[in-house]
Amino acid sequence: NAGVTQTPKFRVLKTGQSMTLLCAQDMNHEYMYWYRQDPGMGLRLIHYSVGEGTTAKGEVPDGYNVSRLKKQNFLLGLESAAPSQTSVYFCASKTTGGNGYTFGSGTRLTVV
Amino acid sequence: GENVEQHPSTLSVQEGDSAVIKCTYSDSASNYFPWYKQELGKGPQLIIDIRSNVGEKKDQRIAVTLNKTAKHFSLHITETQPEDSAVYFCAASMGGYQKVTFGTGTKLQVIP
């Protein structure tokens, strides 16, 4: 049982490039979330999904897009990367009747 | 929206001593308060949580307390061990699919 798997683990992008971060969970969780973690700012919610085919904006959605075509996968896209998007990105999932999140191990993204 | 403040940002204790981390929240509708531990290079992991209808909860060496009136909640770790060294995050939520708002984290160092 892998839990929540994020790929890639590390990536360096040039300003203006695009990329997609993949989150996959094998726990049949309904809810999935993308957070970014920056020093001194904790974790801030980018986008989330309450079920297959649905997405919603979080606290800091600008510059990101998401898709949840399959229940087990939640994709985070950067259309035109900016240095301000340098961060560690965490995906999390949660079951409807459960309590806390299960987090992935993170993707460290650097935009130069 | 919800705002969670966490103090201190860093905490050093001698092995065997107790550690206390304090948080405040702003939205009286929040009813679920989890605590996460993040070890270096890993995603946050839920260690304990408390709901608004409970004032205190214990799990071995860790305990959480909640004061709804003052909108304060705290994490207490007794008999600290070197493996307790990590970053700890408090959080608040209205439960269900509702987003979890995190504090800015406390880096705990347990000195052997």
Side-chain angles (χ1 to χ4, degrees):
Chain A
N1 191 344
V4 178
T5 302
Q6 291 184 234
T7 53
K9 294 188 184 303
F10 303 93
R11 185 73 184 269
V12 177
L13 282 181
K14 293 182 178 180
T15 297
Q17 286 184 320
S18 63
M19 78 164 293
T20 300
L21 283 67
L22 172 64
C23 176
Q25 53 96 1
D26 61 2
M27 299 170 288
N28 202 35
H29 285 176
E30 284 292 335
Y31 309 145
M32 296 186 75
Y33 307 81
W34 276 107
Y35 280 85
R36 60 177 289 173
Q37 184 176 32
D38 302 292
M41 302 188 74
L43 293 108
R44 293 181 293 166
L45 182 64
I46 305 171
H47 286 280
Y48 65 99
S49 169
V50 300
E52 182 178 318
T54 71
T55 62
K57 294 180 180 180
E59 182 184 357
V60 288
D62 294 343
Y64 305 94
N65 56 76
V66 288
S67 65
R68 185 134 180 237
L69 300 179
K70 293 183 179 181
K71 184 177 182 179
Q72 63 268 34
N73 295 336
F74 194 28
L75 278 62
L76 178 70
L78 287 72
E79 294 180 343
S80 179
S84 61
Q85 295 177 304
T86 294
S87 188
V88 180
Y89 291 86
F90 286 100
C91 176
S93 71
K94 178 179 171 302
T95 187
T96 52
N99 296 327
Y101 293 158
T102 299
F103 279 92
S105 58
T107 295
R108 182 174 293 277
L109 175 66
T110 302
V111 182
V112 298
Chain B
E2 176 65 275
N3 182 50
V4 177
E5 295 190 356
Q6 182 173 348
H7 301 280
S9 57
T10 60
L11 179 60
S12 291
V13 299
Q14 292 292 135
E15 181 177 357
D17 287 350
S18 296
V20 179
I21 301 170
K22 298 183 178 182
C23 291
T24 62
Y25 64 100
S26 62
D27 193 338
S28 57
S30 291
N31 59 15
Y32 173 65
F33 306 92
W35 286 86
Y36 288 84
K37 175 183 181 181
Q38 185 177 27
E39 297 176 337
L40 197 61
K42 297 184 178 181
Q45 183 176 14
L46 179 69
I47 55 171
I48 195 167
D49 55 15
I50 191 168
R51 295 197 176 274
S52 58
N53 58 349
V54 175
E56 184 175 3
K57 182 177 180 180
K58 291 183 180 180
D59 183 3
Q60 299 183 343
R61 296 186 297 107
I62 61 173
V64 291
T65 58
L66 171 65
N67 182 329
K68 284 192 301 182
T69 303
K71 295 182 187 170
H72 290 173
F73 57 116
S74 301
L75 177 72
H76 304 253
I77 306 175
T78 59
E79 300 174 15
T80 53
Q81 301 169 4
E83 52 264 37
D84 294 330
S85 295
V87 178
Y88 291 81
F89 291 96
C90 62
S93 170
M94 288 185 278
Y97 70 88
Q98 298 290 342
K99 72 167 187 174
V100 174
T101 300
F102 289 84
T104 50
T106 296
K107 185 175 182 179
L108 173 65
Q109 181 184 22
V110 179
I111 304 166

